[in-house]
């Protein structure tokens, strides 16, 4: 039995498996620039974050109607349940869809059809995290937040993703301020390809409660000390880091060092359809690569619930 865990860094669009992409393309009469599932599998070799994002956004084009988003989320829930996930805080990228003419309501209603009774059907509680694409404008982010207002009961937080370098967190100060006024919590991708300074900026300017990735903090020992002291969680994604060449190989991954420094690190899958595995494969892979002990694994599972936005009562059941 896989250990019970929360998954806190998972892009629902990144769970689009090649087989489902082809099935949806056919259902919707969409064109994919690949002849077969096999050919698409071969495209999953990335140079860096941007080369991945190019394919990730290209494939979202098969997601067009509510049912597509429901099917996508259902497929994720089934896999997550098998991996011992009890709680999932799921990123979605509305601008990747609204920019193609798919209404915000289509995206969130489609996802919610799968998610609203996920606890009863899969034993997994779920919340959505609305991510802004940081390479788009502040105005576009503010418009997206306005579109989300009727759905705030489905959304626990805002996040920030897409191309990091050159798009520092402070660009979105006004957007996060507005999100806070709406009662939303806040996270941000920082220190994946970008520098440790972006992590500090996300904390100081956006007032995020959690950092997504964050492995570059190790370049700044004073910042590490601060994260340890303030118990700021980092949602680490080992397979992603290797596939996007943030690190060379899994055996070089700093996760063990992060845990031993006292950082509240968690293990997550990021975009599992693209990076070679879901959260349990990430756990197993990093355990073997770094010879993690049972204690490390227990800490990772405990951290995942501590770092989550579930209410205190539910959290107490897991800790
Ligand atoms: N980083 C930034 N943006 C993303 C990612 C990621 O790992 N996955 C999907 N969008
Ligand atoms: Zn991510």
């Amino acid at each position: 039995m896989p250990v019970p865990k929360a998954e806190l860094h998972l892009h629902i669009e990144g769970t689009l498996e090649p087989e489902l992409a082809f099935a949806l393309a056919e259902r919707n009469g969409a064109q994919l620039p690949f002849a077969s599932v096999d050919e698409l599998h071969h495209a999953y070799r990335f140079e860096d974050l941007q080369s991945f994002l190019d394919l990730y956004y290209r494939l979202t084009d098969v997601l067009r109607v509510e049912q597509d988003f429901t099917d996508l989320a259902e497929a994720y829930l089934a896999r997550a349940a098998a991996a011992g996930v009890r709680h999932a805080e799921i990123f979605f990228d509305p601008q990747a869809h609204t920019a193609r003419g798919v209404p915000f309501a289509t995206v969130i209603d489609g996802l919610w059809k799968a998610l609203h009774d996920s606890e009863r059907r899969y034993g997994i509680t779920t919340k959505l995290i609305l991510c802004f694409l940081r390479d788009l404008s502040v105005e576009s982010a503010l418009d997206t937040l306005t579109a989300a207002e009727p759905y705030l009961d489905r959304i626990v937080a805002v996040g920030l993703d897409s191309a990091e370098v050159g798009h520092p967190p402070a660009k979105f100060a006004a957007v996060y301020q507005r999100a806070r006024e709406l009662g939303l919590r806040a996270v941000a991708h920082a220190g994946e390809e970008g520098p440790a300074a972006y992590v500090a900026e996300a904390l100081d300017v956006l007032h995020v409660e959690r950092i997504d990735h964050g492995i570059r903090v190790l370049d700044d020992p004073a910042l590490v000390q601060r994260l340890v002291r303030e118990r700021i969680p980092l949602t680490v994604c080992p397979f992603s880091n290797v596939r996007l060449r943030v690190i060379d190989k899994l055996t070089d991954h700093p996760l063990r060092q992060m845990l031993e420094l006292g950082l509240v690190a968690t293990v997550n899958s990021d975009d599992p359809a693209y990076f070679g595995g879901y959260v349990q494969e990430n756990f197993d892979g990093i355990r073997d690569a770094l010879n993690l002990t049972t204690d490390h694994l227990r800490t990772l599972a405990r951290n995942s619930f501590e770092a989550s936005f579930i209410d205190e009562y539910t959290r107490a059941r897991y800790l």
Side-chain angles (χ1 to χ4, degrees):
M1 268 298 279
V3 61
K5 57 183 79 67
E7 177 147 58
L8 307 177
H9 188 152
L10 179 281
H11 302 262
I12 198 66
E13 294 88 349
T15 68
L16 180 60
E17 293 285 343
E19 292 75 12
L20 183 57
F22 269 92
L24 295 181
E26 183 162 344
R27 194 161 88 188
N28 290 327
Q31 291 295 320
L32 281 177
F34 303 94
S36 66
V37 167
D38 254 8
E39 200 180 295
L40 180 50
H41 268 295
H42 284 294
Y44 286 14
R45 265 187 222 119
F46 308 112
E47 299 300 314
D48 54 15
L49 175 57
Q50 189 59 55
S51 63
F52 154 70
L53 290 170
D54 291 344
L55 180 66
Y56 169 91
Y57 294 130
R58 179 67 185 79
L59 290 195
T60 58
D61 185 45
V62 304
L63 300 164
R64 297 196 176 174
V65 297
E66 252 182 55
Q67 188 63 46
D68 304 337
F69 292 93
T70 307
D71 291 350
L72 184 67
E74 286 284 350
Y76 167 68
L77 288 169
R79 287 177 180 265
V85 174
R86 298 291 167 82
H87 176 72
E89 293 173 7
I90 300 173
F91 295 133
F92 72 121
D93 286 335
Q95 290 154 295
H97 312 299
T98 53
R100 301 179 289 113
V102 176
F104 187 96
T106 299
V107 179
I108 198 157
D109 284 338
L111 293 175
W112 204 245
K113 275 207 181 109
L115 300 181
H116 82 277
D117 63 349
S118 59
E119 185 168 18
R120 183 179 63 77
R121 293 167 52 240
Y122 294 97
I124 304 176
T125 51
T126 48
K127 284 282 185 187
L128 286 167
I129 298 178
L130 185 165
C131 277
F132 303 110
L133 303 188
R134 66 202 306 157
D135 46 345
L136 300 187
S137 69
V138 170
E139 293 68 32
S140 172
L142 284 169
D143 288 347
T144 305
L145 192 52
T146 301
E149 281 190 38
Y151 306 98
L152 293 182
D153 56 331
R154 305 177 187 180
I155 301 171
V156 68
V158 291
L160 195 59
D161 65 2
S162 201
E164 184 182 7
V165 174
H167 301 284
K171 174 177 167 186
F172 292 93
V175 183
Y176 272 65
Q177 164 79 28
R178 176 83 190 116
R180 234 182 344 272
E181 287 163 9
L182 292 171
L184 293 168
R185 304 178 76 161
V187 301
H189 283 53
E192 179 187 18
E193 279 190 344
Y198 282 15
V199 173
E201 201 176 291
L203 293 169
D204 294 334
V205 181
L206 302 185
H207 306 290
V208 301
E209 294 177 67
R210 198 160 81 200
I211 297 287
D212 297 312
H213 291 297
I215 67 172
R216 294 283 304 276
V217 292
L218 295 171
D219 299 341
D220 181 346
L223 182 57
V224 170
Q225 294 275 300
R226 174 185 176 186
L227 295 181
V228 170
R229 201 171 52 242
E230 297 180 13
R231 291 196 73 71
I232 306 287
L234 302 174
T235 62
V236 177
C237 306
F239 282 14
S240 167
N241 295 151
V242 174
R243 290 298 187 98
L244 300 187
R245 306 196 186 192
V246 171
I247 57 165
D248 283 342
K249 50 190 191 307
L250 214 49
T251 47
D252 294 338
H253 199 283
L255 180 72
R256 183 175 177 133
Q257 184 193 354
M258 294 170 88
L259 290 172
E260 289 172 0
L261 285 165
L263 286 164
V264 185
T266 66
V267 165
N268 307 269
S269 64
D270 207 4
D271 301 284
Y274 293 85
F275 299 151
Y278 286 74
V279 67
Q280 190 59 43
E281 283 86 54
N282 272 269
F283 263 79
D284 294 346
I286 200 71
R287 178 199 61 207
D288 295 347
L290 304 180
N291 288 316
L292 296 184
T293 64
T294 312
D295 251 14
H296 289 126
L297 296 170
R298 228 181 265 129
T299 300
L300 286 168
R302 192 170 358 94
N303 286 352
S304 75
F305 291 110
E306 177 184 335
S308 77
F309 293 141
I310 48 182
D311 63 84
E312 290 304 317
Y313 174 79
T314 313
R315 180 179 288 122
R317 284 195 348 232
Y318 291 118
L319 291 179

